[in-house]
């Protein structure tokens, strides 16, 4: 979530800084794109950009220059796979607040699991990229179904077709999502259900407020 990265993470946290970088790049591309059609608006926006510019005006800065660094193989496919799993999760809770739930994603070892590991290296997290996409209180990523599952758990099954290298690598993977009501309270600062009580910040926010939230 963009707002949480900008307002809840530490000032110099890589998650916050990376979000600012993406927003700046997106604004730059948009302004250059509509400059030939709306020159006065584009120039005004360009003059108010809150960071150092290479030239004095938008029409002296050249056309869009997309860096190859933005294209990372597998990233798009990882996001698409995570969004497909998220849609299954959200569809199972009928419009309820996703932050009031924890999800356990079970995927057999393979391409889809490897892509999800790119978004979440640790087994369980409330602050990983995968959890941000899932919009849940916490996300757990497993390669096999847990031996014990609470009686009130809702289990959803689905499949995702992954295409890599322009379709040269294709693999259909099955997944299961275990949806559980979270036992945690809503943090008064970040609004995630990751606190021990509604009157005290969660551990992550406590670190940020103490100046320790740097990544």
């Amino acid at each position: 979530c963009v707002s949480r990265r900008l307002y809840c993470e530490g000032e110099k946290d890589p998650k916050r800084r990376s979000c600012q970088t993406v927003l700046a790049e997106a604004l730059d591309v948009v302004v250059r794109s509509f400059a030939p059609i709306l020159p006065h608006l584009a120039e005004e926006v360009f003059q108010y950009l809150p960071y150092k510019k290479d030239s004095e005006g938008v029409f002296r800065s050249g056309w869009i220059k997309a860096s190859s660094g933005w294209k990372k193989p597998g990233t798009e496919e990882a996001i698409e796979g995570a969004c497909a799993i998220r849609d299954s999760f959200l569809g199972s809770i009928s419009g309820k607040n996703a932050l009031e739930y924890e999800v356990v994603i079970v995927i057999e070892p393979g391409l889809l699991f490897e892509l999800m590991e790119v978004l979440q290296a640790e087994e369980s997290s409330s602050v990983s990229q995968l959890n941000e996409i899932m919009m849940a209180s916490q996300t757990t990523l497993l390669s096999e179904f847990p031996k014990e599952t609470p009686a009130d758990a809702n289990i959803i099954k689905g499949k995702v077709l992954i295409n890599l290298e322009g379709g040269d690598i294709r693999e259909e993977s099955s997944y299961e999502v275990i949806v559980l009501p979270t036992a945690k309270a809503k943090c008064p600062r970040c609004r995630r259900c990751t606190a021990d009580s509604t009157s005290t910040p969660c551990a992550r926010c406590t670190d940020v407020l103490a100046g320790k939230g740097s990544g």
Side-chain angles (χ1 to χ4, degrees):
C1 178
V2 173
S3 61
R4 287 197 180 91
R5 284 195 175 204
L6 291 175
Y7 301 120
C8 296
E9 300 294 348
E11 182 180 0
K12 298 185 182 300
D13 190 289
K15 291 181 180 179
R16 182 175 186 272
R17 297 290 291 171
S18 65
C19 183
Q20 290 176 313
T21 299
V22 171
L23 290 174
E25 183 72 15
L27 178 60
D28 183 81
V29 170
V30 170
V31 171
R32 293 174 194 267
S33 298
F34 68 64
I37 305 170
L38 300 169
H40 298 293
L41 176 60
E43 186 62 40
E44 183 176 1
V45 173
F46 189 83
Q47 293 302 324
Y48 280 94
L49 292 178
Y51 49 83
K52 185 177 180 180
K53 302 175 282 292
D54 296 331
S55 62
E56 296 180 357
V58 66
F59 291 100
R60 296 181 180 180
S61 62
W63 189 235
I64 300 169
K65 301 172 184 177
S67 171
S68 60
W70 291 102
K71 182 63 176 178
K72 293 185 178 180
T75 300
E76 181 179 352
E77 291 75 15
I79 298 297
E80 289 179 349
C83 286
I85 297 172
R86 178 198 62 194
D87 291 345
S88 297
F89 160 54
L90 295 179
S92 72
I93 59 176
S94 305
K96 297 178 181 177
N97 187 354
L99 287 172
E100 296 177 356
Y101 294 87
E102 298 179 9
V103 295
V104 179
I105 302 173
V106 184
I107 307 171
E108 292 184 357
L111 183 56
L112 180 60
F113 185 83
E114 292 174 3
L115 290 174
M116 294 305 101
E117 281 190 312
V118 172
L119 302 176
Q120 180 170 301
E122 57 271 49
E123 184 175 284
S124 296
S125 177
S126 62
V127 295
S128 68
Q129 294 181 70
L130 179 58
N131 189 65
E132 286 187 351
I133 294 172
M134 295 302 294
M135 302 167 62
S137 172
Q138 177 177 285
T139 296
T140 299
L141 180 63
L142 301 176
S143 59
E144 58 182 24
F145 204 86
K147 295 180 179 179
E148 296 184 4
T149 304
D152 60 346
N154 184 15
I155 302 175
I156 309 111
K157 297 182 179 181
K159 292 183 179 182
V160 174
L161 179 62
I162 300 296
N163 286 294
L164 284 173
E165 305 294 337
D168 291 338
I169 301 176
R170 292 168 58 89
E171 182 178 298
E172 186 177 63
S173 300
S174 300
Y175 66 83
E176 293 179 271
V177 182
I178 305 171
V179 182
L180 301 164
T182 183
K184 291 286 188 175
K186 183 178 290 185
C187 171
R189 182 174 181 272
C190 70
R191 314 303 292 174
R192 289 189 180 106
C193 293
T194 52
D196 293 328
S197 73
T198 56
S199 60
T200 57
C202 64
R204 176 64 174 169
C205 285
T206 299
D207 287 343
V208 172
L209 292 171
K212 302 176 183 178
S214 57

